[in-house]
């Protein structure tokens, strides 16, 4: 049974260089800064990873979070690099404009198959750009994650989390899943060996009606599945408080389920988002841009 009331929200990336990362998402992919939030201490649901200090969250996407799959960029002050694992295999999106932007800005691009280009966000995160006009809905088509046992993962995502199977290719060891036709899909790609999350490990987020969260938690307990953060309320300064539960699939991929009603309130686009990010980067002397500016002044 597909859970039509559930929706794919975003993928969380840890970023070490906000300036270059913002340049990639804004100038290469052509996404908009939807909102930017600064936090003085680590998140109760470890949204920013296992770090206690000051951090920021920037949501970027092609349109509002209500009906677009977006990226959540988390930046931990003072941490400039995260070791990449083999867990995240890429995000695929349709945008001939992004291909054009990358060429213009001389951002590295390589054609992997006809009309599909591979590029990397700072930190080594892979993006696949299809060189077509984007659909009217959401240009972000799918997120691909590595799994070590496709059948076991399929049981988890389809039977326990209620995702519909859209495509299945036993030979290529891949499955495409989703909650609705017009939403970003999740692609599971079987790999040989174990899935290594290293330090850069991401997280994929979905929403569901808030009343379903306790049932989801109870189901995972019954099935002896891993719950990383039991149901908890998260505060964002000056914005709505949301309830979340953080799960882990058989390979340890982190999954966040958030109550939809409060999340729609929290995730309203902030017209000041882009300025807030720019101000934060300007104030953060550890951002590479400042280092470069100072170096060029010193050598000039």
């Amino acid at each position: 049974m597909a859970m039509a009331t559930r929706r794919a929200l975003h993928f969380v990336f840890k970023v070490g260089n906000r300036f270059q990362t913002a340049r990639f998402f804004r100038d290469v992919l052509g996404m908009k800064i939807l909102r930017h939030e600064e936090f003085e201490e680590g998140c109760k649901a470890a949204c920013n990873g296992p770090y206690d200090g000051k951090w920021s969250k920037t949501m970027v996407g092609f349109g509002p979070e209500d009906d677009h799959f977006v990226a959540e960029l988390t930046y931990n002050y003072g941490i400039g690099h995260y070791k990449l694992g083999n867990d995240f295999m890429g995000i695929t999106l349709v945008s001939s404009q992004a291909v054009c932007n990358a060429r213009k800005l001389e951002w590295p691009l390589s054609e992997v198959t006809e009309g599909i280009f591979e590029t990397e966000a700072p930190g080594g995160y892979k993006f696949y750009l299809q060189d077509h006009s984007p659909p009217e809905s959401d240009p972000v088509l799918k997120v691909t994650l590595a799994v070590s046992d496709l059948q076991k993962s399929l049981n988890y995502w389809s039977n326990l989390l209620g995702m519909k199977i859209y495509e299945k290719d036993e030979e290529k060891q891949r499955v495409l899943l989703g909650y609705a036709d017009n939403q970003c899909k999740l692609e599971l790609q079987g790999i040989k060996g174990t899935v290594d999350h290293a330090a850069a490990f991401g997280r994929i987020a979905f929403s569901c009606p808030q009343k379903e969260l306790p049932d989801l938690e109870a189901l995972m307990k019954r099935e002896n599945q891993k719950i990383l953060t039991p149901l908890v309320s998260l505060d964002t300064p000056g914005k709505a408080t949301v309830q979340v539960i953080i799960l882990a699939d058989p390979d340890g991929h982190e999954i966040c389920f958030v109550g939809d009603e409060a999340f729609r309130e929290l995730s309203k686009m902030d017209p000041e988002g882009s300025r807030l990010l720019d101000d934060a980067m300007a104030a953060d002397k550890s951002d590479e841009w400042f280092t470069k500016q100072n170096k060029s002044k010193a050598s000039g």
Side-chain angles (χ1 to χ4, degrees):
M1 171 184 80
M3 310 261 181
T5 50
R6 294 185 177 182
R7 61 192 178 103
L9 299 178
H10 54 254
F11 193 84
V12 183
F13 295 98
K14 289 193 202 65
V15 305
N17 182 323
R18 273 193 304 195
F19 185 77
Q20 286 292 355
T21 300
R23 185 166 177 250
F24 175 78
F25 282 93
R26 270 198 290 215
D27 302 345
V28 179
L29 296 186
M31 288 183 173
K32 298 179 186 76
I33 306 291
L34 304 170
R35 55 190 168 104
H36 175 80
E37 289 140 13
E38 295 277 333
F39 301 88
E40 289 304 316
E41 53 189 42
C43 169
K44 280 193 282 188
C47 304
N48 60 317
Y51 305 95
D52 297 332
K54 188 180 175 188
W55 65 289
S56 77
K57 171 201 291 184
T58 310
M59 310 303 287
V60 292
F62 288 110
E65 291 176 68
D66 264 0
D67 51 10
H68 287 73
F69 188 85
V70 309
E72 176 176 316
L73 312 175
T74 63
Y75 172 74
N76 290 291
Y77 281 81
I79 299 177
H81 175 74
Y82 298 92
K83 186 176 185 295
L84 210 57
N86 64 356
D87 51 347
F88 173 79
M89 298 184 80
I91 281 182
T92 302
L93 55 94
V94 185
S95 172
S96 47
Q97 187 59 54
V99 174
C100 180
N101 294 345
R103 286 186 176 134
K104 207 160 34 186
L105 295 167
E106 297 183 351
W107 199 278
L109 266 189
S110 59
E111 194 163 13
V112 281
T113 53
E114 197 181 340
I116 299 179
F117 294 84
E118 181 186 299
T119 189
E120 276 183 15
Y125 304 111
K126 286 192 179 352
F127 281 75
Y128 294 93
L129 315 178
Q130 294 189 3
D131 195 5
H132 303 294
S133 301
E136 275 184 25
S137 51
D138 185 2
V140 183
L141 298 185
K142 63 182 179 182
V143 176
T144 306
L145 301 179
V147 298
S148 59
D149 181 333
L150 193 58
Q151 205 41 55
K152 201 172 174 183
S153 296
L154 196 53
N155 176 57
Y156 182 91
W157 288 92
S158 180
N159 295 347
L160 297 184
L161 292 185
M163 277 192 150
K164 176 182 164 188
I165 298 170
Y166 280 86
E167 290 170 25
K168 191 175 175 184
D169 188 331
E170 294 279 3
E171 199 181 333
K172 289 185 177 160
Q173 279 289 290
R174 59 173 288 276
V175 177
L176 194 68
L177 301 143
Y179 281 122
D181 298 0
N182 61 346
Q183 289 181 22
C184 174
K185 306 296 185 293
L186 171 68
E187 182 176 57
L188 303 177
Q189 175 64 60
I191 60 165
K192 289 184 169 64
T194 54
V195 174
D196 172 20
H197 298 277
F201 64 92
R203 176 183 285 180
I204 191 163
F206 301 90
S207 72
C208 65
Q210 190 170 309
K211 65 178 193 296
E212 285 180 19
L213 290 170
D215 297 342
L216 182 58
E217 186 173 39
L219 171 69
M220 290 303 166
K221 280 181 180 159
R222 264 199 321 275
E223 297 287 336
N224 291 317
Q225 296 294 337
K226 194 177 271 188
I227 298 172
L228 298 175
T229 304
L231 195 52
V232 63
S233 292
L234 297 186
D235 300 323
T236 297
K239 294 189 179 180
T241 295
V242 295
Q243 285 201 309
V244 306
I245 176 174
I246 314 292
L247 311 172
D249 83 347
D251 285 295
H253 288 291
E254 294 195 359
I255 308 149
C256 171
F257 272 92
V258 56
D260 192 71
E261 301 86 345
F263 186 78
R264 284 187 189 271
E265 189 58 42
L266 168 74
S267 64
K268 282 183 176 156
M269 190 171 167
D270 179 0
E272 293 291 298
S274 208
R275 183 189 62 77
L276 291 171
L277 171 63
D278 288 337
D279 289 353
M281 290 193 299
D284 179 15
K285 299 294 184 283
S286 66
D287 261 323
E288 192 203 41
W289 185 70
F290 272 91
T291 318
K292 274 190 175 161
Q293 292 292 97
N294 292 337
K295 270 185 190 161
S296 65
K297 276 179 197 161
S299 61

